Amino acid sequence: MPVKSHKKRKKQWIGFAAVLVCYILIVLLLGSCLSMVDAGHQGVVFNFFSGVQPQVLEDGLHLHWPWESVTAYPVSTEMATFAKGQAISVVSKDGQRVQIDVFMSYHLQPARLPGLMQRLHQEDWEDARQQILRGRLQAAMQTVALRHSVVSLFATQREAVCREIEAEVRRELAKDGIGLEGLALTDLRVDERMRQRLQKLVETDIEHQYILRETANKEQLARQRLSEAETSRKVALIEAQGEAEANRLISQSLTPELMRYCQRGHVKSRTN
């Protein structure tokens, strides 16, 4: 009896262990089939047999095959700053090296996330984004810088060059499915010798612009005075023409009978 009781308890423990193992396996299997995509993110599915899948998952809880994994990417607006030690370095058309501090806002385009994941080779976006953004900025800004001299970048065409850089950066980022929302070049730096030269050019340009404005104001005043004189001349001419026309009409109305009547009236008035 004791032997049978021992065998029975052993079978019970084996059965309990088997149930526990099955339960653990089921939990692990369900865990590998469920993925949560946080708000503000969208998920890309990677199949270990067929690779990156084209469908993109919205935020929420998703069920998938055990041989698939889901990687979440942020699709809301993000910020990136490249300044000081991380500033973008470019060479201008005339061979001058310029350090540019850049602030940008952007977002990942949901429909392009599978392609971005293929490029990253399952690398985490947070780890790779600085390198990707910097590479695209470097390529775009260098392309534009080679079209302009350092004087154009700093003074004569700065606003136009900034717009050109923004358009080029937008095209570059679109290659990776990144939408540019805003771009600001917060600071541009050159070596001290070039900085002093540019400062003189800026001061000269400011003085030149002041002279142009003063000349334009004087020309405007002269045109205004000329217009007033011309208006006065036309008014005087119209008045003279009106007076001449009135005299003509009066002379036409003086018939011989009217003149004799006026003369008789004048004689009577003198007699009285």
Side-chain angles (χ1 to χ4, degrees):
M1 291 292 295
V3 175
K4 292 183 179 180
S5 177
H6 176 72
K7 290 182 178 180
K8 184 177 180 181
R9 285 197 300 272
K10 185 177 180 180
K11 289 181 179 179
Q12 289 176 344
W13 278 108
I14 293 174
F16 175 76
V19 171
L20 182 60
V21 169
C22 291
Y23 177 77
I24 292 174
L25 290 175
I26 291 173
V27 170
L28 292 175
L29 182 62
L30 287 175
S32 65
C33 294
L34 290 173
S35 294
M36 172 62 74
V37 179
D38 296 333
H41 293 67
Q42 292 196 9
V44 180
V45 179
F46 178 79
N47 188 297
F48 292 98
F49 300 106
S50 57
V52 178
Q53 302 302 297
Q55 73 270 21
V56 177
L57 305 178
E58 300 288 340
D59 56 344
L61 186 64
H62 297 274
L63 181 66
H64 54 81
W65 296 111
W67 51 86
E68 292 180 335
S69 62
V70 176
T71 302
Y73 292 90
V75 293
S76 55
T77 300
E78 293 190 302
M79 311 292 180
T81 302
F82 299 88
K84 297 183 179 180
Q86 295 184 338
I88 306 299
S89 178
V90 298
V91 178
S92 64
K93 183 179 180 180
D94 47 358
Q96 297 296 324
R97 183 163 295 278
V98 183
Q99 300 289 330
I100 305 177
D101 292 346
V102 182
F103 172 81
M104 62 182 295
S105 58
Y106 66 94
H107 66 273
L108 301 183
Q109 299 171 345
R112 303 284 300 279
L113 289 178
L116 179 61
M117 185 176 184
Q118 286 181 334
R119 180 185 172 182
L120 294 177
H121 301 292
Q122 293 185 293
E123 183 181 359
D124 186 68
W125 167 248
E126 292 300 322
D127 296 335
R129 70 169 189 154
Q130 288 292 103
Q131 181 180 355
I132 291 177
L133 295 176
R134 183 181 181 83
R136 291 303 184 186
L137 283 173
Q138 181 72 50
M141 295 173 68
Q142 183 59 77
T143 298
V144 176
L146 288 175
R147 302 173 190 160
H148 301 278
S149 67
V150 69
V151 177
S152 298
L153 291 172
F154 275 85
T156 57
Q157 298 179 354
R158 181 162 179 169
E159 292 185 4
V161 172
C162 289
R163 291 194 296 269
E164 191 174 342
I165 287 176
E166 182 174 356
E168 189 68 29
V169 170
R170 191 180 303 277
R171 284 192 290 270
E172 278 291 323
L173 292 177
K175 296 177 181 179
D176 288 319
I178 303 172
L180 180 66
E181 296 184 8
L183 180 75
L185 308 183
T186 56
D187 190 24
L188 288 81
R189 296 181 299 278
V190 291
D191 59 58
E192 182 62 22
R193 183 179 178 183
M194 179 57 65
R195 188 193 67 79
Q196 293 178 359
R197 179 184 170 192
L198 289 171
Q199 183 64 29
K200 292 180 180 179
L201 288 173
V202 170
E203 292 174 355
T204 302
D205 182 66
I206 292 174
E207 183 179 355
H208 177 65
Q209 294 297 327
Y210 175 77
I211 293 173
L212 289 178
R213 286 195 299 270
E214 288 297 308
T215 302
N217 291 336
K218 291 178 180 178
E219 291 178 352
Q220 178 65 24
L221 182 61
R223 286 194 295 270
Q224 183 178 351
R225 290 176 177 175
L226 181 62
S227 177
E228 292 174 353
E230 180 67 17
T231 301
S232 299
R233 188 187 67 80
K234 290 181 179 179
V235 170
L237 179 61
I238 292 172
E239 289 177 348
Q241 291 175 344
E243 185 176 354
E245 180 66 16
N247 291 335
R248 186 184 66 81
L249 293 175
I250 292 173
S251 63
Q252 289 180 352
S253 64
L254 293 176
T255 61
E257 292 79 5
L258 180 60
M259 292 181 65
R260 284 194 295 272
Y261 176 79
C262 290
Q263 288 176 354
R264 285 198 298 272
H266 179 68
V267 170
K268 288 181 179 180
S269 64
R270 292 188 63 182
T271 304
N272 295 331

